[in-house]
Amino acid sequence: MMELPFPLNEYKRRMERLRENMEKHGIDTVYITSPENVYYFTGHQRVMPGGRWPVGFAFNREADNFVAFCEEDEEDLLWRTSIVEEAYFFGSEWGGGKSPYSVIVDALREKGWLKGNVGVEMWTYYPSHDAFERLLLELRRAGANVVDASKAINDVRFVKSELELVYVRKAAEIADIGMKAAEEAIRP
C-alpha cells in the first residue's frame, strides 16, 4: 500500500514539468540523488544512511516513470513510499551484495539511457563526495556525456501547483497555531 503525501496526478504533473526542463536544457536522462528532490518527484522518504552509495532515481525524457536504484534493505520502504514501478537493488552500505556502480550503469545501459546527455545534481550534498565522483567516473566510462542538471531539476520546484499552495497555506496555519501556543507558554 502506497503512502504518498500527494495524489498520483500531482507526481505526473511534476514529471511532465521535469521533462519540459530536460528538453529545454538538452538533457536526455537525469539521475537524482538529493533526498529532497527524490521525495518531491517520487514521494520516497529515504532513511538517511551515511551516503557511501549513490542511491538515486533515474528519469528519461521518453519514460513514463522514474527507475529507482537503492540499497537492498530499503526495498520495502521504497514500494510503500514512492510512485516508482521499476527498481534495482544493490548491497547495503554496511557490507555485502552487488556493487551499486555496476547495478546503476548496467541497468541504464540496458535501457539505452546512457545515450545523449546524462544530467546529475552537482549542487547537492548527497551522496558523499567519493561516491559522487565514482558515479561520474563510471557513467563516463560507460560512454555517458555527463552534464549538470541541478538547474533543470531544481527549477521545477520553484513554481508551485495549486495543490502545493493549498499544502503550504495549511502548513502556515499550523505553524501560526504553534507559535501562538509558544508565545502563551513563555509569557511571564
Side-chain angles (χ1 to χ4, degrees):
M1 168 109 185
M2 273 195 291
E3 302 165 7
L4 297 172
F6 288 94
L8 190 56
N9 66 340
E10 176 67 17
Y11 293 99
K12 295 292 185 188
R13 183 198 67 78
R14 293 172 183 181
M15 277 189 273
E16 191 53 42
R17 295 261 338 276
L18 178 59
R19 188 185 329 276
E20 291 167 7
N21 272 11
M22 290 168 66
E23 178 76 31
K24 177 179 160 185
H25 291 273
I27 299 169
D28 300 287
T29 299
V30 292
Y31 191 80
I32 297 176
T33 57
S34 67
E36 62 274 14
N37 283 333
V38 165
Y39 181 73
Y40 180 81
F41 286 107
T42 72
H44 182 48
Q45 301 177 46
R46 293 212 52 228
V47 175
M48 285 294 288
R52 279 185 47 214
W53 299 137
V55 171
F57 290 68
F59 181 72
N60 183 277
R61 282 195 328 221
E62 305 300 320
D64 293 327
N65 204 332
F66 282 85
V67 174
F69 295 90
C70 296
E71 293 179 58
E72 55 198 16
D73 53 2
E74 286 190 85
E75 185 171 0
D76 182 56
L77 184 62
L78 173 73
W79 298 128
R80 287 189 300 113
T81 67
S82 78
I83 62 166
V84 299
E85 298 168 348
E86 182 178 358
Y88 297 84
F89 299 95
F90 43 80
S92 168
E93 195 170 314
W94 312 114
K98 299 175 186 172
S99 160
Y101 306 101
S102 61
V103 170
I104 294 164
V105 169
D106 290 349
L108 293 178
R109 180 186 296 118
E110 186 176 305
K111 295 178 82 51
W113 289 11
L114 292 177
K115 297 174 184 166
N117 292 323
V118 176
V120 298
E121 294 177 282
M122 293 189 181
W123 302 352
T124 187
Y125 58 93
Y126 192 87
S128 70
H129 177 76
D130 288 344
F132 184 71
E133 287 298 318
R134 174 81 186 273
L135 176 64
L136 295 179
L137 175 70
E138 297 300 335
L139 289 171
R140 288 178 177 134
R141 277 186 183 161
N145 182 41
V146 179
V147 299
D148 185 4
S150 302
K151 183 167 178 42
I153 294 167
N154 290 331
D155 281 358
V156 174
R157 293 177 48 205
F158 291 154
V159 178
K160 303 296 182 211
S161 70
E162 287 301 316
L163 184 56
E164 288 171 321
L165 290 173
V166 168
Y167 279 46
V168 168
R169 289 182 185 113
K170 184 65 175 175
E173 287 175 23
I174 293 167
D176 286 346
I177 292 167
M179 288 303 294
K180 286 178 185 167
E183 287 172 0
E184 290 298 318
I186 62 173
R187 189 166 288 172

